Amino acid sequence: MLGSMLRPVGSHIPAPAGEAFDGAMPWDSRYQTELMDSGTAALSMAVGLAIEARGVSGTPEVILPAYGCPDLVAAVLFQGARPVLVDFGQEGPNLSLDGVRNAVSPDTVAVVAVDFLGLHENLESLSTLLDESGVWLIEDSAQAFPPASSTSGLADCVVLSFGRGKPINLMGGGALLVRREHSHFAAPLIEQLPRNEVSLGPVWHLKRVVFNLLLSRVFYGLLVRLSVLGLGKTEYVPLEGITRSELPWKLLNNGVNAHRHRAYLIKTYLDAFSGLDERGWLGPQRLARESKSNSNSIDFDDGKLPRLLRFPLLAPSEELRDRALDALNQAGIGANSLYGIPLPAIDGLQAQFEVTERAFPNASEFSRRLLTLPIHEDVTSDDIGRMANILGCLR
Ligand SMILES: *Cc1c(COP(=O)(O)O)cnc(C)c1O
């Protein structure tokens, strides 16, 4: 149908009814779970705990990747800490280990390792590098489920998000996972946070129905044409406060079950796109190669690939990436370039950093070549064939 559009990301919100609640999460033996208002609030609280644990004399510093979600910066600034950006390594969305080594100072309290679109950061190498330094390793798993630390226990804290466009969409909320050895120290600090009850009343149910309806191709296409989603804009929004959330466990449990059972055509994707390598495109297997964490990830779908939130590709050039985006969107496929630019170039953040994006050549290059394709439950093998055809025709 004219104007219909396959949404880039976003899964159906589960019903809170149904299956008996078992409440067990794959990380329970290693981590204590605290439900929070949002992923950003959970990340900020993780930073706050690291600051308390470290007790540095100067302004606390937190190491972040130079390309990422602006909420990372919001979470750090809310704690009165200073975000210190580090470039990616070559070609992958992982922190440069040399970069991290050089950025660590006596005031560093934490390194935030982001699982980009589901690909896990290199937690093994980061944790070896930080060994005995007392600097906390925080796994930001807002885009990955389950987090790599579920099985490895490597991160001191793990952050989850249940916002729209995340692996488990509960119309908002997040979780802070605190490694059990820190529970005693963290509990009183977390206890001080205000609580916010989430009621699953008629308004919630109505919102759910409307939200799920808007995920359809026809409605999503309409929203894009009306420009009501503010698409394509990445903006910095400061964090205003941190609240715990009384999100019903049953809802989270159903979200986890729905995630486990929904369609995920990664094999179809990898087959359809296999010819692109020779033409200079890099796919998720290549982008995952640097990360050892992927090899002990649970929920394997293809060899070393953990479950992806979107299907990422690096185009041979920015010019080809931009033409691919146009062609795909013309064909009703919600492809995008995600944040588009590194953090120091984002509106509202330019004044925050003493350096520009030029200080981060790998992250800048990555941002100019990244293309992400939908891989949610409503993507069909026909869609994947069409996407492969469109990219295959570009010269
Ligand atoms: C979305 C996201 C967040 C913030 O989560 P919210 O629940 O939207 O506040 C943090 N980090 C990453 C990597 C994200 O993708």
Side-chain angles (χ1 to χ4, degrees):
M1 181 184 162
L2 185 70
S4 83
M5 169 80 90
L6 178 67
R7 67 185 186 277
V9 74
S11 289
H12 296 262
I13 299 144
E19 298 176 49
F21 168 65
D22 68 8
M25 295 294 151
W27 52 80
D28 282 344
S29 67
R30 298 171 192 278
Y31 293 89
Q32 167 81 32
T33 306
E34 300 290 342
L35 298 179
M36 310 287 287
D37 243 16
S38 68
T40 312
L43 178 59
S44 192
M45 192 59 202
V47 168
L49 294 176
I51 293 172
E52 287 294 323
R54 275 287 269 165
V56 296
S57 55
T59 303
E61 296 177 358
V62 177
I63 293 177
L64 302 176
Y67 177 79
C69 176
D71 294 336
L72 300 173
V73 180
V76 172
L77 290 179
F78 183 78
Q79 297 292 342
R82 194 165 84 84
V84 174
L85 302 182
V86 164
D87 202 4
F88 284 161
Q90 297 279 322
E91 279 179 351
N94 284 352
L95 288 166
S96 148
L97 293 173
D98 283 340
V100 173
R101 208 173 281 119
N102 292 333
V104 170
S105 84
D107 291 327
T108 307
V109 296
V111 173
V112 179
V114 178
D115 296 327
F116 186 76
L117 300 183
L119 300 169
H120 293 141
E121 244 291 0
N122 193 348
L123 296 179
E124 276 80 3
S125 301
L126 287 170
S127 115
T128 307
L129 192 157
L130 298 177
D131 188 36
E132 317 243 309
S133 66
V135 173
W136 278 29
L137 183 57
I138 300 173
E139 181 184 4
D140 181 341
S141 192
Q143 300 180 7
F145 194 89
S149 296
S150 292
T151 45
S152 71
L154 283 172
D156 293 275
C157 282
V158 179
V159 170
L160 301 176
S161 166
F162 307 124
R164 98 184 148 140
K166 307 296 164 137
I168 294 173
N169 174 11
L170 306 179
M171 293 196 286
L176 170 63
L177 280 43
V178 180
R179 200 161 66 203
R180 293 209 176 267
E181 76 197 58
H182 300 309
S183 295
H184 229 68
F185 153 80
L189 298 167
I190 292 170
E191 201 52 47
Q192 290 168 11
L193 297 171
R195 279 172 190 274
N196 183 14
E197 197 163 329
V198 178
S199 139
L200 302 187
V203 175
W204 188 92
H205 284 273
L206 186 64
K207 252 178 86 181
R208 170 176 175 263
V209 168
V210 171
F211 192 102
N212 284 344
L213 200 63
L214 295 180
L215 295 177
S216 74
R217 294 180 198 231
V218 170
F219 280 109
Y220 187 80
L222 193 65
L223 292 182
V224 170
R225 269 175 296 152
L226 296 176
S227 306
V228 288
L229 298 177
L231 291 167
K233 291 193 211 91
T234 302
E235 326 185 295
Y236 170 67
V237 183
L239 178 63
E240 312 245 285
I242 301 182
T243 328
R244 275 187 291 168
S245 139
E246 311 264 276
L247 197 73
W249 279 97
K250 192 183 178 88
L251 182 63
L252 177 55
N253 191 60
N254 288 358
V256 172
N257 282 332
H259 177 265
R260 193 174 291 147
H261 293 124
R262 68 191 180 221
Y264 177 66
L265 301 181
I266 185 66
K267 291 220 163 55
T268 313
Y269 247 112
L270 294 174
D271 286 349
F273 283 70
S274 60
L276 283 173
D277 310 20
E278 291 149 33
R279 312 239 312 274
W281 293 74
L282 304 184
Q285 289 152 309
R286 237 337 251 290
L287 297 179
R289 207 157 69 181
E290 275 180 69
S291 170
K292 292 198 204 76
S293 305
N294 293 328
S295 60
N296 72 14
S297 141
I298 48 177
D299 225 20
F300 264 80
D301 291 288
D302 181 86
K304 290 187 169 10
L305 268 191
R307 174 92 172 223
L308 298 171
L309 182 62
R310 308 188 193 194
F311 190 87
L313 286 170
L314 280 198
S317 68
E318 180 177 19
E319 193 260 335
L320 216 55
R321 190 274 307 261
D322 290 344
R323 277 180 26 224
L325 280 178
D326 279 349
L328 288 159
N329 280 283
Q330 291 282 330
I333 304 280
N336 65 34
S337 64
L338 209 58
Y339 313 123
I341 42 178
L343 285 170
I346 284 175
D347 273 351
L349 285 181
Q350 290 103 338
Q352 201 47 241
F353 300 102
E354 286 154 18
V355 288
T356 67
E357 60 173 302
R358 277 195 295 275
F360 311 104
N362 293 340
S364 297
E365 175 78 7
F366 188 87
S367 71
R368 283 194 291 268
R369 289 171 52 199
L370 178 71
L371 173 74
T372 74
L373 301 172
I375 191 169
H376 51 73
E377 66 264 39
D378 295 328
V379 176
T380 64
S381 43
D382 267 9
D383 292 323
I384 296 170
R386 276 199 300 141
M387 293 185 239
N389 261 335
I390 290 169
L391 295 184
C393 290
L394 291 174
R395 288 287 182 273

